[in-house]
Amino acid sequence: MICMLPVLRCFFWTTVVAHCPRQSSAFSSLSHKSRNGSKNIPTIIITITTTTTMMDFDLATALRDNVAAVLLLPLALAIGWLAVAFNKPPAKDAPVKSTAGILESVRMLASSESPWWHLQLQESLGSSIFQHNIPVPGGMYVLCSAKDQREVLLDEYADKPIAVYGNIDSITGRTQMGTRSTLDPRTKPMRKAVEHSFSSAEVNRMNSICMKYAKQWETDFLEKLADTDATFDPSIELPKVVFKSIMEAALEYESTPEDYDFFASNYEVAAREFTFRQSVNPLRKVFGFMIPEVWAARNCCSALQDFVKKILTAYRENPNKSEHNTLIKAVESNPYDMSEEDRVAELLILLIAGFDTTGYTIAITLVLLAKHPKEMRDLRQSLLQGDPAQSKDHLKRVITESQRLLPVAGVGPLRLINRDFIFRDESSNRNVKIPNGATLILPQFASHRDEAVFEDATQFKPDRWENPTK
């Protein structure tokens, strides 16, 4: 009889991770308290039917009665091979390994606690370089040092791991400049096509539109709220303002509150599945047809793409198009060969990359100012009474410090390296080797708190950017 143990383990891994408690969006809340609630682990019932015996073995019957096992056997063997390879005795110059197991690592990497978790691992392991217990080709490593991260990011042979970033293509419908390799021949032409939309004149034009909607929000929302004892969550309100601003300034589309609710709700479901869960658990992609959450996420992706198609149609039918170099104009009139699906994907990734990251950055800045009254008073005085140029510099320092202390993309970028790297781990006072083909996580929460670069790294000090030395 065919051995079922590897297959059952495969079933168990897929089912447990697929039904982990839902995690909130990585940046939908400014609260990062650890959540240690009970785990909703479902009861797994597996029935194995066989009509064979050891004395009377019929291979055809065995294969028929164990179809699932036969289908999953190659995958189980591959996982077993990876497990054996992953548990080889470490070399002397190998990084330390995380104490978290595979399931815990997958769960934490796909959760909103991931940035803080890397900080905790760095402290508990006593090392700024460590390896995750996730069986991916080449291994998955974490670099916490700002110096080490800089070396990788500047390396011309380090590139985006398509196996991870490619999951975003499920949201946009196909590859776009956010997920393409830097070596892809389509990358430079697309960037060149949209660069005029970010000239100084265009940025000033877009700023004026943003200011218009910020003042409108102040009048319609804040002033009314000020007369009551009510409170509000800036991480909910500010993305709405940014979304409306981007839609008009970049896409020449006048959006409604219903448009925002539709886009944000569908994007949250799609991003949770494809940006987080499938990035760390590829089995969800393989067995997605069995998982209701994956089906729901796919429907949300289709809804987002249809939303962008509606924006494109409205632009084409608009008799009074802007004469400025808007983003939608740049994508629509791109001289390079682009299909309709390409245009949808490029516009969708630009919208995704802009509305919530900008909104959350402003929200985080407001919260930090509220928690540091002196910094808030100094900024207010500078904006109201100071020289415009100095006021602008002061505001820039505050926002930069906010992005340093609580970056929106706290997990940081990932890179697939194409050569061996030797780093000096100052914590353990030894050289550490990361092999060619490894996937590196570069957590910004860690590098932005690197005491070798930032004095009092956990403190909110905008003045550190007045004369930065590093």
Coordinates of all heavy atoms in Angstrom, one line a residue, residues 53-135:
T53 N -4.6 -6.2 0.1 CA -3.9 -6.7 1.3 C -2.5 -6.9 0.9 O -2.1 -6.9 -0.3 CB -4.6 -8.0 1.7 OG1 -4.4 -9.0 0.7 CG2 -6.0 -7.9 2.0
M54 N -1.7 -7.2 1.9 CA -0.3 -7.5 1.6 C -0.1 -8.8 0.8 O 0.9 -9.0 0.1 CB 0.5 -7.5 2.9 CG 0.6 -6.2 3.7 SD 1.3 -4.9 2.7 CE 3.0 -5.5 2.6
M55 N -1.0 -9.7 1.0 CA -0.9 -11.0 0.3 C -1.5 -10.9 -1.1 O -1.0 -11.6 -2.0 CB -1.7 -12.1 1.1 CG -1.2 -12.3 2.5 SD 0.5 -12.9 2.5 CE 0.3 -14.5 1.7
D56 N -2.4 -10.0 -1.3 CA -3.1 -10.0 -2.7 C -3.0 -8.5 -3.1 O -4.0 -7.8 -3.0 CB -4.5 -10.5 -2.6 CG -5.2 -10.5 -3.9 OD1 -4.5 -10.5 -5.0 OD2 -6.4 -10.5 -4.0
F57 N -1.9 -8.1 -3.6 CA -1.7 -6.7 -4.0 C -2.1 -6.4 -5.4 O -1.6 -7.1 -6.4 CB -0.3 -6.3 -3.7 CG 0.0 -4.8 -4.0 CD1 -0.3 -3.9 -3.1 CD2 0.6 -4.4 -5.2 CE1 -0.1 -2.5 -3.3 CE2 0.9 -3.1 -5.4 CZ 0.5 -2.1 -4.5
D58 N -3.0 -5.5 -5.7 CA -3.4 -5.1 -7.0 C -3.0 -3.7 -7.2 O -3.7 -2.8 -6.7 CB -4.9 -5.3 -7.2 CG -5.4 -5.1 -8.6 OD1 -4.6 -4.4 -9.4 OD2 -6.5 -5.4 -8.9
L59 N -2.0 -3.4 -8.0 CA -1.5 -2.0 -8.2 C -2.6 -1.1 -8.8 O -2.8 0.0 -8.4 CB -0.3 -2.0 -9.1 CG 0.3 -0.6 -9.4 CD1 0.8 0.1 -8.1 CD2 1.5 -0.7 -10.4
A60 N -3.4 -1.6 -9.8 CA -4.4 -0.7 -10.4 C -5.4 -0.3 -9.4 O -5.9 0.8 -9.4 CB -5.0 -1.5 -11.6
T61 N -5.8 -1.3 -8.5 CA -6.8 -1.0 -7.5 C -6.3 0.0 -6.5 O -7.0 0.9 -6.1 CB -7.3 -2.3 -6.8 OG1 -7.8 -3.2 -7.7 CG2 -8.3 -2.0 -5.7
A62 N -5.0 -0.2 -6.1 CA -4.4 0.7 -5.2 C -4.3 2.1 -5.7 O -4.6 3.1 -5.0 CB -3.0 0.2 -4.8
L63 N -4.0 2.3 -7.0 CA -3.9 3.6 -7.6 C -5.3 4.2 -7.7 O -5.5 5.4 -7.4 CB -3.3 3.5 -9.0 CG -1.8 3.1 -9.0 CD1 -1.3 3.0 -10.5 CD2 -0.9 4.1 -8.3
R64 N -6.3 3.4 -8.0 CA -7.7 3.9 -8.1 C -8.2 4.4 -6.8 O -8.8 5.4 -6.7 CB -8.6 2.8 -8.7 CG -10.0 3.3 -9.0 CD -10.9 2.1 -9.2 NE -11.0 1.3 -7.9 CZ -11.3 0.0 -7.9 NH1 -11.6 -0.6 -9.0 NH2 -11.3 -0.7 -6.8
D65 N -8.0 3.6 -5.8 CA -8.5 4.0 -4.4 C -7.7 5.0 -3.7 O -8.2 5.5 -2.7 CB -8.5 2.7 -3.6 CG -9.6 1.7 -4.1 OD1 -10.4 2.1 -4.8 OD2 -9.4 0.5 -3.7
N66 N -6.6 5.4 -4.2 CA -5.8 6.4 -3.6 C -5.4 7.5 -4.6 O -4.2 7.8 -4.7 CB -4.5 5.8 -2.9 CG -4.9 4.9 -1.8 OD1 -5.2 5.3 -0.7 ND2 -4.8 3.5 -2.1
V67 N -6.4 8.0 -5.3 CA -6.1 9.0 -6.3 C -5.4 10.2 -5.8 O -4.5 10.7 -6.3 CB -7.4 9.3 -7.1 CG1 -7.2 10.5 -8.0 CG2 -8.0 8.1 -7.8
A68 N -5.9 10.7 -4.6 CA -5.4 11.9 -4.0 C -3.9 11.7 -3.7 O -3.1 12.5 -3.9 CB -6.2 12.3 -2.8
A69 N -3.6 10.5 -3.1 CA -2.2 10.2 -2.7 C -1.3 10.2 -4.0 O -0.2 10.7 -3.9 CB -2.2 8.9 -2.0
V70 N -1.8 9.6 -5.0 CA -1.0 9.5 -6.3 C -0.7 10.9 -6.8 O 0.4 11.2 -7.2 CB -1.7 8.6 -7.3 CG1 -1.0 8.7 -8.7 CG2 -1.8 7.2 -6.8
L71 N -1.8 11.7 -6.8 CA -1.6 13.1 -7.3 C -0.7 13.9 -6.5 O 0.1 14.7 -7.0 CB -3.0 13.8 -7.4 CG -3.9 13.2 -8.4 CD1 -5.3 13.9 -8.4 CD2 -3.4 13.3 -9.9
L72 N -0.7 13.7 -5.2 CA 0.1 14.5 -4.3 C 1.5 13.9 -4.0 O 2.3 14.6 -3.4 CB -0.6 14.7 -2.9 CG -1.9 15.5 -3.0 CD1 -2.6 15.6 -1.6 CD2 -1.6 17.0 -3.4
L73 N 1.7 12.7 -4.4 CA 3.0 12.0 -4.1 C 4.2 12.8 -4.6 O 5.2 13.0 -3.8 CB 3.0 10.6 -4.6 CG 4.2 9.8 -4.2 CD1 4.4 9.7 -2.7 CD2 4.1 8.4 -4.8
P74 N 4.2 13.3 -5.9 CA 5.4 14.0 -6.3 C 5.6 15.3 -5.5 O 6.8 15.6 -5.1 CB 5.0 14.4 -7.8 CG 4.0 13.4 -8.2 CD 3.2 13.1 -6.9
L75 N 4.5 16.0 -5.1 CA 4.7 17.1 -4.3 C 5.2 16.8 -2.9 O 6.1 17.5 -2.3 CB 3.4 17.9 -4.1 CG 3.3 19.1 -3.3 CD1 4.3 20.2 -3.9 CD2 1.9 19.7 -3.2
A76 N 4.7 15.7 -2.3 CA 5.2 15.2 -1.0 C 6.7 14.9 -1.0 O 7.4 15.2 -0.1 CB 4.3 14.0 -0.5
L77 N 7.1 14.2 -2.1 CA 8.5 13.8 -2.3 C 9.4 15.0 -2.4 O 10.5 15.1 -1.8 CB 8.7 12.9 -3.5 CG 8.1 11.5 -3.4 CD1 8.2 10.8 -4.7 CD2 8.7 10.7 -2.3
A78 N 8.9 16.1 -3.1 CA 9.6 17.3 -3.3 C 9.8 18.0 -1.9 O 10.9 18.5 -1.6 CB 9.0 18.2 -4.3
I79 N 8.7 18.0 -1.1 CA 8.8 18.7 0.2 C 9.7 17.9 1.1 O 10.5 18.5 1.8 CB 7.3 18.7 0.8 CG1 6.5 19.7 0.0 CG2 7.4 19.2 2.2 CD1 5.0 19.7 0.4
G80 N 9.6 16.5 1.0 CA 10.5 15.7 1.8 C 12.0 16.0 1.5 O 12.9 16.1 2.3
W81 N 12.3 16.1 0.1 CA 13.6 16.4 -0.3 C 14.1 17.7 0.2 O 15.2 17.9 0.7 CB 13.7 16.4 -1.8 CG 15.1 16.7 -2.3 CD1 16.1 15.9 -2.5 CD2 15.5 18.0 -2.8 NE1 17.2 16.5 -3.0 CE2 16.9 17.8 -3.2 CE3 14.9 19.2 -2.9 CZ2 17.6 18.9 -3.7 CZ3 15.6 20.3 -3.4 CH2 17.0 20.1 -3.7
L82 N 13.2 18.7 0.2 CA 13.6 20.1 0.7 C 13.8 20.0 2.2 O 14.7 20.7 2.7 CB 12.5 21.1 0.4 CG 12.4 21.5 -1.1 CD1 11.1 22.4 -1.3 CD2 13.6 22.3 -1.5
A83 N 13.0 19.2 2.9 CA 13.2 19.1 4.3 C 14.5 18.5 4.7 O 15.2 19.0 5.6 CB 12.1 18.3 4.9
V84 N 14.9 17.5 4.0 CA 16.2 16.8 4.2 C 17.4 17.8 3.9 O 18.3 18.0 4.7 CB 16.4 15.6 3.4 CG1 17.8 15.0 3.5 CG2 15.4 14.5 3.8
A85 N 17.2 18.5 2.8 CA 18.3 19.5 2.4 C 18.4 20.6 3.4 O 19.4 21.2 3.7 CB 18.0 20.0 1.0
F86 N 17.2 21.0 3.9 CA 17.1 22.1 4.8 C 17.7 21.8 6.2 O 18.1 22.7 6.9 CB 15.6 22.6 4.9 CG 15.4 24.0 5.4 CD1 15.7 25.0 4.5 CD2 15.0 24.3 6.7 CE1 15.5 26.3 5.0 CE2 14.8 25.6 7.1 CZ 15.1 26.6 6.2
N87 N 17.8 20.6 6.5 CA 18.2 20.2 7.9 C 19.7 19.6 7.8 O 20.1 19.0 8.8 CB 17.3 19.1 8.5 CG 16.0 19.7 8.9 OD1 16.0 20.4 10.0 ND2 14.9 19.5 8.2
K88 N 20.4 20.0 6.8 CA 21.8 19.6 6.8 C 22.6 20.4 7.9 O 22.2 21.5 8.2 CB 22.4 20.0 5.4 CG 22.0 19.0 4.3 CD 22.7 19.5 3.0 CE 22.3 18.5 1.8 NZ 23.0 18.9 0.6
P89 N 23.6 19.8 8.4 CA 24.4 20.5 9.4 C 24.9 21.8 8.9 O 25.4 21.9 7.8 CB 25.6 19.5 9.7 CG 25.0 18.2 9.3 CD 24.1 18.4 8.1
P90 N 24.7 22.9 9.6 CA 25.1 24.2 9.1 C 26.7 24.3 9.0 O 27.4 23.8 9.8 CB 24.6 25.2 10.1 CG 24.4 24.4 11.3 CD 24.1 23.0 10.9
A91 N 27.1 25.1 8.0 CA 28.5 25.4 7.9 C 29.0 26.3 9.0 O 28.1 27.0 9.6 CB 28.8 26.0 6.5
K92 N 30.3 26.4 9.2 CA 30.8 27.3 10.3 C 30.4 28.7 10.0 O 30.3 29.5 11.0 CB 32.3 27.1 10.4 CG 32.7 25.7 10.9 CD 34.2 25.6 11.1 CE 34.6 24.2 11.6 NZ 36.1 24.1 11.8
D93 N 30.4 29.1 8.8 CA 30.1 30.6 8.5 C 28.7 30.8 8.1 O 28.3 31.8 7.6 CB 31.0 31.1 7.4 CG 30.9 30.2 6.1 OD1 30.1 29.2 6.1 OD2 31.5 30.6 5.1
A94 N 27.8 29.8 8.4 CA 26.4 30.0 8.1 C 25.7 30.8 9.2 O 26.1 30.8 10.4 CB 25.7 28.6 8.1
P95 N 24.7 31.6 8.8 CA 23.9 32.4 9.8 C 23.2 31.5 10.8 O 22.9 30.4 10.5 CB 23.0 33.2 8.9 CG 23.5 33.1 7.5 CD 24.2 31.8 7.4
V96 N 22.9 32.1 11.9 CA 22.0 31.4 12.9 C 20.7 31.2 12.3 O 20.2 31.9 11.4 CB 22.0 32.1 14.2 CG1 23.3 32.2 14.9 CG2 21.3 33.5 14.1
K97 N 20.0 30.1 12.8 CA 18.6 29.9 12.3 C 17.6 30.4 13.3 O 17.8 30.4 14.5 CB 18.4 28.4 12.1 CG 19.0 27.8 10.8 CD 18.5 26.4 10.5 CE 19.0 26.0 9.1 NZ 18.5 24.6 8.8
S98 N 16.5 30.8 12.7 CA 15.3 31.3 13.6 C 14.8 30.1 14.4 O 14.9 28.9 14.0 CB 14.2 31.8 12.7 OG 13.0 32.0 13.4
T99 N 14.3 30.4 15.6 CA 13.8 29.4 16.5 C 12.4 29.0 16.1 O 11.8 28.1 16.7 CB 13.8 29.9 17.9 OG1 13.2 31.1 18.0 CG2 15.3 30.0 18.4
A100 N 11.8 29.8 15.2 CA 10.4 29.5 14.8 C 10.3 28.4 13.8 O 11.2 28.3 12.9 CB 9.7 30.8 14.2
G101 N 9.3 27.5 13.9 CA 9.2 26.5 12.9 C 8.5 26.9 11.7 O 8.3 28.1 11.5
I102 N 8.3 26.0 10.7 CA 7.8 26.4 9.4 C 6.4 27.0 9.5 O 6.2 28.1 9.0 CB 7.7 25.1 8.5 CG1 9.1 24.6 8.2 CG2 7.0 25.5 7.2 CD1 9.1 23.4 7.3
L103 N 5.5 26.4 10.2 CA 4.1 26.9 10.3 C 4.1 28.3 11.0 O 3.4 29.2 10.5 CB 3.2 25.9 11.0 CG 2.8 24.7 10.2 CD1 2.0 23.8 11.1 CD2 2.2 25.0 8.9
E104 N 4.8 28.4 12.1 CA 4.8 29.7 12.8 C 5.5 30.8 11.9 O 5.0 31.9 11.9 CB 5.6 29.6 14.1 CG 5.6 30.9 14.9 CD 6.5 30.8 16.2 OE1 7.0 29.7 16.4 OE2 6.5 31.8 16.9
S105 N 6.5 30.4 11.2 CA 7.2 31.4 10.3 C 6.2 31.9 9.2 O 6.1 33.1 8.9 CB 8.4 30.8 9.7 OG 9.4 30.5 10.7
V106 N 5.5 30.9 8.6 CA 4.6 31.3 7.5 C 3.5 32.2 8.1 O 3.1 33.2 7.5 CB 4.0 30.0 6.9 CG1 2.8 30.3 6.0 CG2 5.0 29.2 6.1
R107 N 3.0 31.8 9.3 CA 1.9 32.6 9.9 C 2.4 34.0 10.2 O 1.7 35.0 9.9 CB 1.4 31.9 11.1 CG 0.2 32.7 11.8 CD -0.3 31.9 13.0 NE 0.8 31.9 14.1 CZ 0.9 32.9 14.9 NH1 0.2 33.9 14.9 NH2 1.9 32.7 15.9
M108 N 3.5 34.2 10.8 CA 4.0 35.5 11.2 C 4.4 36.4 10.0 O 4.2 37.6 10.0 CB 5.2 35.3 12.1 CG 4.9 34.7 13.5 SD 3.6 35.7 14.4 CE 4.5 37.2 14.6
L109 N 5.0 35.8 9.0 CA 5.4 36.5 7.8 C 4.2 37.1 7.0 O 4.3 38.1 6.4 CB 6.2 35.7 6.8 CG 7.7 35.5 7.2 CD1 8.4 34.5 6.3 CD2 8.5 36.8 7.2
A110 N 3.1 36.4 7.1 CA 1.8 36.8 6.5 C 1.0 37.7 7.3 O -0.1 38.1 6.9 CB 1.0 35.6 6.0
S111 N 1.4 38.1 8.5 CA 0.6 38.8 9.4 C 1.1 40.3 9.5 O 2.2 40.6 9.1 CB 0.7 38.2 10.8 OG 1.9 38.5 11.5
S112 N 0.3 41.1 10.2 CA 0.7 42.5 10.4 C 1.8 42.6 11.5 O 2.3 43.7 11.6 CB -0.5 43.3 10.8 OG -1.1 42.8 12.0
E113 N 2.1 41.6 12.2 CA 3.1 41.6 13.2 C 4.5 41.3 12.6 O 5.5 41.4 13.4 CB 2.8 40.6 14.3 CG 1.5 40.7 14.9 CD 1.3 42.0 15.7 OE1 2.3 42.6 16.1 OE2 0.2 42.5 15.7
S114 N 4.6 41.1 11.3 CA 5.9 40.7 10.8 C 7.0 41.6 11.0 O 8.1 41.2 11.4 CB 5.7 40.4 9.3 OG 7.0 40.1 8.7
P115 N 6.9 43.0 10.9 CA 8.0 43.9 11.1 C 8.5 43.8 12.6 O 9.7 43.8 12.8 CB 7.4 45.3 10.8 CG 6.2 45.0 9.9 CD 5.7 43.7 10.4
W116 N 7.6 43.7 13.5 CA 8.0 43.7 14.9 C 8.6 42.3 15.3 O 9.5 42.2 16.1 CB 6.8 43.9 15.8 CG 6.2 45.3 15.6 CD1 5.1 45.6 14.8 CD2 6.7 46.5 16.1 NE1 4.9 47.0 14.8 CE2 5.8 47.6 15.6 CE3 7.8 46.9 16.9 CZ2 6.0 48.9 15.9 CZ3 7.9 48.2 17.2 CH2 7.1 49.2 16.7
W117 N 8.1 41.3 14.6 CA 8.6 39.9 14.8 C 10.1 39.8 14.4 O 10.9 39.2 15.2 CB 7.8 38.9 14.0 CG 8.2 37.5 14.2 CD1 8.3 36.8 15.3 CD2 8.5 36.6 13.1 NE1 8.7 35.5 15.1 CE2 8.8 35.3 13.7 CE3 8.6 36.7 11.7 CZ2 9.2 34.2 13.0 CZ3 8.9 35.6 11.0 CH2 9.2 34.4 11.6
H118 N 10.5 40.5 13.3 CA 11.9 40.4 12.9 C 12.7 41.1 14.0 O 13.9 40.7 14.2 CB 12.0 41.1 11.6 CG 11.7 40.2 10.4 ND1 11.0 40.6 9.3 CD2 11.9 38.8 10.2 CE1 10.8 39.6 8.5 NE2 11.3 38.5 9.0
L119 N 12.2 42.2 14.5 CA 13.0 42.9 15.6 C 13.2 42.0 16.8 O 14.2 41.9 17.4 CB 12.3 44.2 16.0 CG 12.4 45.4 15.1 CD1 11.5 46.5 15.6 CD2 13.8 45.8 14.9
Q120 N 12.1 41.3 17.2 CA 12.2 40.3 18.3 C 13.2 39.2 18.0 O 13.9 38.8 18.9 CB 10.8 39.8 18.6 CG 9.8 40.8 19.1 CD 8.4 40.3 19.1 OE1 8.1 39.2 18.8 NE2 7.4 41.2 19.4
L121 N 13.1 38.7 16.8 CA 14.1 37.6 16.5 C 15.5 38.1 16.5 O 16.4 37.4 17.0 CB 13.8 37.1 15.1 CG 12.5 36.2 15.0 CD1 12.3 35.8 13.5 CD2 12.7 34.9 15.8
Q122 N 15.7 39.3 16.0 CA 17.1 39.9 16.0 C 17.6 40.0 17.5 O 18.8 39.6 17.8 CB 17.1 41.3 15.4 CG 18.4 42.0 15.4 CD 18.4 43.4 14.9 OE1 17.3 43.9 14.6 NE2 19.5 44.0 14.8
E123 N 16.7 40.4 18.4 CA 17.1 40.5 19.8 C 17.3 39.2 20.4 O 18.3 38.9 21.2 CB 16.1 41.3 20.5 CG 16.5 41.6 22.0 CD 15.4 42.4 22.7 OE1 14.5 42.9 22.0 OE2 15.6 42.6 23.9
S124 N 16.4 38.2 20.2 CA 16.5 36.9 20.9 C 17.6 36.1 20.4 O 18.2 35.3 21.1 CB 15.1 36.2 20.8 OG 14.9 35.9 19.4
L125 N 17.9 36.2 19.1 CA 19.0 35.4 18.5 C 20.4 36.0 18.7 O 21.4 35.4 18.5 CB 18.8 35.2 17.0 CG 17.5 34.4 16.6 CD1 17.3 34.4 15.1 CD2 17.7 32.9 17.1
G126 N 20.4 37.3 19.1 CA 21.6 38.0 19.2 C 22.4 38.2 18.0 O 23.6 38.2 18.0
S127 N 21.7 38.3 16.8 CA 22.4 38.4 15.6 C 21.5 39.3 14.6 O 20.3 39.2 14.6 CB 22.6 37.0 14.9 OG 23.2 37.1 13.7
S128 N 22.2 40.1 13.8 CA 21.5 40.9 12.8 C 21.3 40.1 11.5 O 20.7 40.7 10.6 CB 22.3 42.2 12.6 OG 23.5 41.9 12.0
I129 N 21.8 38.9 11.4 CA 21.7 38.1 10.2 C 21.2 36.7 10.6 O 21.9 36.0 11.4 CB 23.0 37.9 9.4 CG1 23.6 39.3 9.2 CG2 22.9 37.2 8.1 CD1 25.1 39.3 8.6
F130 N 20.1 36.3 10.1 CA 19.6 34.9 10.5 C 18.8 34.3 9.3 O 18.4 35.0 8.4 CB 18.8 35.0 11.8 CG 17.7 36.0 11.8 CD1 16.4 35.7 11.4 CD2 17.9 37.3 12.3 CE1 15.4 36.6 11.4 CE2 16.9 38.2 12.3 CZ 15.6 37.9 11.9
Q131 N 18.5 33.0 9.4 CA 17.8 32.3 8.4 C 16.5 31.8 8.9 O 16.3 31.4 10.0 CB 18.6 31.1 7.9 CG 18.0 30.3 6.8 CD 18.8 29.1 6.4 OE1 19.8 28.8 7.0 NE2 18.4 28.4 5.4
H132 N 15.4 32.0 8.1 CA 14.1 31.5 8.4 C 14.0 30.0 8.1 O 14.6 29.5 7.1 CB 13.0 32.3 7.6 CG 12.6 33.5 8.2 ND1 12.3 33.7 9.5 CD2 12.4 34.8 7.7 CE1 11.9 34.9 9.8 NE2 12.0 35.6 8.7
N133 N 13.2 29.3 8.9 CA 13.0 27.9 8.6 C 11.9 27.7 7.6 O 10.9 27.1 7.9 CB 12.7 27.2 9.9 CG 13.9 27.1 10.8 OD1 14.9 26.6 10.4 ND2 13.8 27.5 12.1
I134 N 12.1 28.2 6.4 CA 11.1 28.1 5.3 C 11.8 27.4 4.2 O 12.8 28.0 3.7 CB 10.5 29.4 4.9 CG1 9.7 30.0 6.1 CG2 9.6 29.3 3.7 CD1 9.1 31.3 5.8
P135 N 11.4 26.2 3.7 CA 12.1 25.5 2.7 C 11.9 26.0 1.3 O 11.1 25.5 0.5 CB 11.5 24.1 2.8 CG 10.2 24.3 3.4 CD 10.2 25.5 4.3

